[in-house]
Amino acid sequence: MKILTARQMAEVDRLTSQSAGIPSLLLMENAAFHLYLALLDYFDRLERTRILIVCGKGNNGGDGLALARQLLQRGVSPEVALLAERNQIRGDAAVNLRILESWPHPILEIPSAEAWDEAAPNLDRLDVIVDAILGTGITQPLRGLYADAVAAINETDAFVLSVDIPSGMPADSVKSPPLAIRADATVTFTAPKVAHALNSSQECIGDLYVAPIGTPPSLLDREEFFLHLLTPEDIRRETFIRPVSSHKGFYGDVALIAGSLGKSGAAALCGSAALRSGSGLVTVLTPRSVQLTVASAQPELMTEGLGETETGSLSDSAAALALEKLQGRDAAGLGPGLSLHPETVRLAHNLVAESPAPLVIDADGLNAFEGNLDRLSNRHGLPLILTPHPGEFSRLTAKPVADLLEDQVELTRSFAVRRHLWIVLKTFRPLIAAPDGRLFVSAVGNPGMATAGMGDVLTGVLTSMVGRARAAGLNDVDDVTQAVCAAVFLHAIAGDVAAESVGQESLTAGDVIDCLPEAWDILLETDETPL
């Protein structure tokens, strides 16, 4: 599903009317109908529900006015407050205002902050407030009348439904706005906007509905619309169906270079996650001093003890043997629990440059390249998949975390394209950037997954999925992108299943591994993947 900026959405709406011949007034009518359907999801008897629709003077307000008429047609009598003078209303909104006035139906005019203080309706008696004040065009903080109205609505206990986007939230921003409607649900039209997916104030959006209002799908199929919301339909689930004639070689032989003294758990978690993700064979390459610990964590894991430093991390003398062990592998993971001993850093540089298998690089495997970004490439041209959290990405790019997060879409995308690799940026909404310029946002997962070892599990899942794709002969950019997206999705679904079982506060990385079987069932057998 495409994610659009405000400018892109305006262009799509224009083309819908001018090129496809669908009148903008009809689009507004369809939008109002979907708002009505959303209300029905929460309230069985709307005719007994006390509803106020608060309308601004633009098209967002026009949607609210059209909704008011549609409710009247169905025996529901909402109150309507217009935060403007009637003569200020233009275009399709003015048409819907004239139609509503013909019923007739009372409309409360509140054109100023002073008028709001004097004439604002008693919000505390309401069951529902529809926020049709401001849409996707705003870029500045709220002030005056709009700020007063939004603040007052936020003080009520009423159910709040926002039209298109919560008023006060800029459509293209990932930063929390100073003031915005805190909606229980939001109905947006045609496609989600950037803020719906990535704004850090997700609690303002509530349940998100994406309603089709008549725009031809072909208008969204444009190369410059590179941002996607990851959905079950984006995953080629048929590629994971196991034929009856299967053997373990069908599903990838992968290796994981991980662990050090005191961090053997990272290697064990990574290996167990790769097994639970369906790999046919998993081998963990780890320092000799922790080999037994890793091997005892999961009997199905194979292990290989390598040379180590005096502190129990992998030595650069182990590079030749490690590269030998990577021969013939379908994929490898590098980094969990590795440490940043100077010898281990040199080992990481050698493995990335010379690896004969695609590499998923995480944690200290990434930190090893701080200040050495020019070495982050594979001379064989094999895929590199980076999985940084914001701090690790900041160290790689030498950009402050705050700046990186504010411009995460463009920075992640440009980094992946310029260096021809994949990035999974682990923010609260993971970003998956592909070297062909596509960018995917995963809206699955929960805050309970912000705990130790979760990245190690993701590295195992990713390595498994990339290895499975390669074992199946799926090697081009789109194939690898599919594998990465499927891995991020599967990992997040498992996190949500685990949270339902143990709660977010007690969630551990091991719980996510335990829930991978159920996550597979959800991903493969139904379309009911939680979003």
Side-chain angles (χ1 to χ4, degrees):
M1 181 185 296
K2 293 293 180 74
I3 298 173
L4 302 184
T5 65
R7 181 191 61 78
Q8 289 168 342
M9 189 68 250
E11 176 68 3
V12 167
D13 284 343
R14 184 186 68 80
L15 291 173
T16 298
S17 296
Q18 294 186 6
S19 301
I22 301 173
S24 57
L25 200 59
L26 178 57
L27 298 178
M28 187 172 284
E29 191 72 9
N30 292 342
F33 180 66
H34 281 283
L35 291 167
Y36 164 70
L37 293 180
L39 287 174
L40 286 180
D41 278 352
Y42 297 95
F43 299 92
D44 294 330
R45 302 294 298 274
L46 283 177
E47 68 276 8
R48 298 184 180 179
T49 304
R50 294 165 297 183
I51 302 172
L52 170 67
I53 304 173
V54 185
C55 301
K57 61 184 179 181
N59 283 340
N60 200 256
D63 294 336
L65 295 167
L67 171 64
R69 189 217 334 122
Q70 292 208 11
L71 290 172
L72 286 167
Q73 291 170 187
R74 293 168 173 85
V76 184
S77 184
E79 299 176 49
V80 179
L82 183 63
L83 302 187
E85 295 178 355
R86 296 183 193 221
N87 60 12
Q88 295 178 301
I89 311 303
R90 300 286 185 271
D92 293 338
V95 173
N96 272 298
L97 176 61
R98 289 195 297 272
I99 296 172
L100 185 60
E101 289 172 329
S102 70
W103 276 78
H105 186 74
I107 299 171
L108 179 62
E109 273 186 59
I110 307 178
S112 66
E114 294 74 21
W116 176 269
D117 291 337
E118 294 177 4
N122 180 4
L123 303 182
D124 290 333
R125 61 186 170 75
L126 297 166
D127 301 310
V128 176
I129 299 173
V130 177
D131 157 37
I133 303 172
L134 294 166
T136 59
I138 71 160
T139 57
Q140 299 298 317
L142 298 178
R143 59 181 184 272
L145 170 60
Y146 292 151
D148 290 351
V150 167
I153 291 170
N154 284 344
E155 289 296 317
T156 73
D157 293 327
F159 179 92
V160 178
L161 177 69
S162 281
V163 178
D164 210 5
I165 196 165
S167 292
M169 179 176 283
D172 297 343
S173 177
V174 302
K175 293 177 62 177
S176 295
L179 175 65
I181 286 286
R182 292 195 296 271
D184 296 284
T186 299
V187 180
T188 195
F189 310 115
T190 305
K193 316 308 179 290
V194 173
H196 293 136
L198 292 171
N199 192 279
S200 54
S201 289
Q202 289 294 301
E203 67 277 3
C204 289
I205 296 167
D207 300 330
L208 180 64
Y209 293 73
V210 182
I213 58 173
T215 296
S218 60
L219 292 182
L220 300 178
D221 190 21
R222 299 168 63 175
E223 188 174 338
E224 62 265 35
F225 298 168
F226 59 82
L227 191 57
H228 304 252
L229 181 65
L230 196 57
T231 69
E233 291 71 30
D234 294 312
I235 307 300
R236 293 188 207 138
R237 285 171 283 180
E238 66 274 9
T239 64
F240 298 109
I241 304 301
R242 294 184 175 233
V244 174
S245 59
S246 292
H247 59 76
K248 59 180 177 283
F250 280 25
Y251 303 106
D253 180 352
V254 305
L256 301 162
I257 305 100
S260 60
L261 190 62
K263 297 180 181 178
S264 57
L269 286 168
C270 192
S272 296
L275 282 169
R276 283 294 191 186
S277 300
S279 287
L281 295 161
V282 180
T283 302
V284 180
L285 311 181
T286 197
R288 292 191 187 99
S289 61
V290 300
Q291 182 183 2
L292 182 59
T293 304
V294 174
S296 63
Q298 179 100 28
E300 296 88 349
L301 283 175
M302 294 179 287
T303 60
E304 186 76 37
L306 302 181
E308 58 188 88
T309 67
E310 72 282 358
T311 61
S313 65
L314 287 172
S315 166
D316 58 355
S317 64
L321 181 56
L323 287 169
E324 179 184 324
K325 296 299 180 182
L326 293 185
Q327 291 291 336
R329 307 286 182 180
D330 295 299
L334 171 69
L338 208 59
S339 96
L340 286 175
H341 188 285
E343 288 193 35
T344 312
V345 168
R346 289 195 292 273
L347 172 89
H349 291 172
N350 288 337
L351 293 183
V352 169
E354 302 294 336
S355 175
L359 272 180
V360 177
I361 311 174
D362 183 37
D364 286 338
L366 294 169
N367 292 328
F369 290 88
E370 181 179 358
N372 288 283
L373 200 54
D374 58 320
R375 304 193 66 166
L376 191 57
S377 63
N378 179 268
R379 74 178 185 89
H380 303 294
L382 292 169
L384 297 179
I385 299 98
L386 315 187
T387 65
H389 58 57
E392 290 162 346
F393 199 37
S394 171
R395 287 190 283 276
L396 283 178
T397 59
K399 293 183 180 296
V401 170
D403 294 348
L404 187 154
L405 289 175
E406 186 170 352
D407 200 19
Q408 60 190 268
V409 170
E410 187 50 44
L411 286 176
T412 307
R413 180 175 184 251
S414 61
F415 191 97
V417 171
R418 187 170 64 252
R419 298 190 172 274
H420 201 75
L421 45 71
W422 286 259
I423 298 177
V424 179
L425 182 62
K426 296 181 293 192
T427 64
F428 81 99
R429 288 280 169 83
L431 282 179
I432 303 160
D436 61 6
R438 288 180 295 163
L439 197 67
F440 297 85
V441 180
S442 172
V444 193
N446 63 83
M449 297 175 74
T451 188
M454 206 61 69
D456 305 325
V457 173
L458 178 59
T459 297
V461 178
L462 277 163
T463 305
S464 175
M465 291 297 213
V466 173
R468 290 184 64 170
R470 191 169 178 84
L474 304 173
N475 297 314
D476 66 19
V477 168
D478 190 54
D479 295 330
V480 177
T481 303
Q482 272 283 323
V484 172
C485 287
V488 172
F489 216 39
L490 182 70
H491 177 258
I493 295 169
D496 283 345
V497 172
E500 290 179 7
S501 174
V502 303
Q504 293 186 15
E505 295 299 331
S506 298
L507 188 62
T508 67
D511 295 326
V512 173
I513 296 173
D514 291 341
C515 290
L516 281 169
E518 187 173 345
W520 269 117
D521 287 343
I522 293 171
L523 183 61
L524 295 183
E525 295 180 7
T526 77
D527 289 326
E528 298 302 316
T529 307
L531 286 176

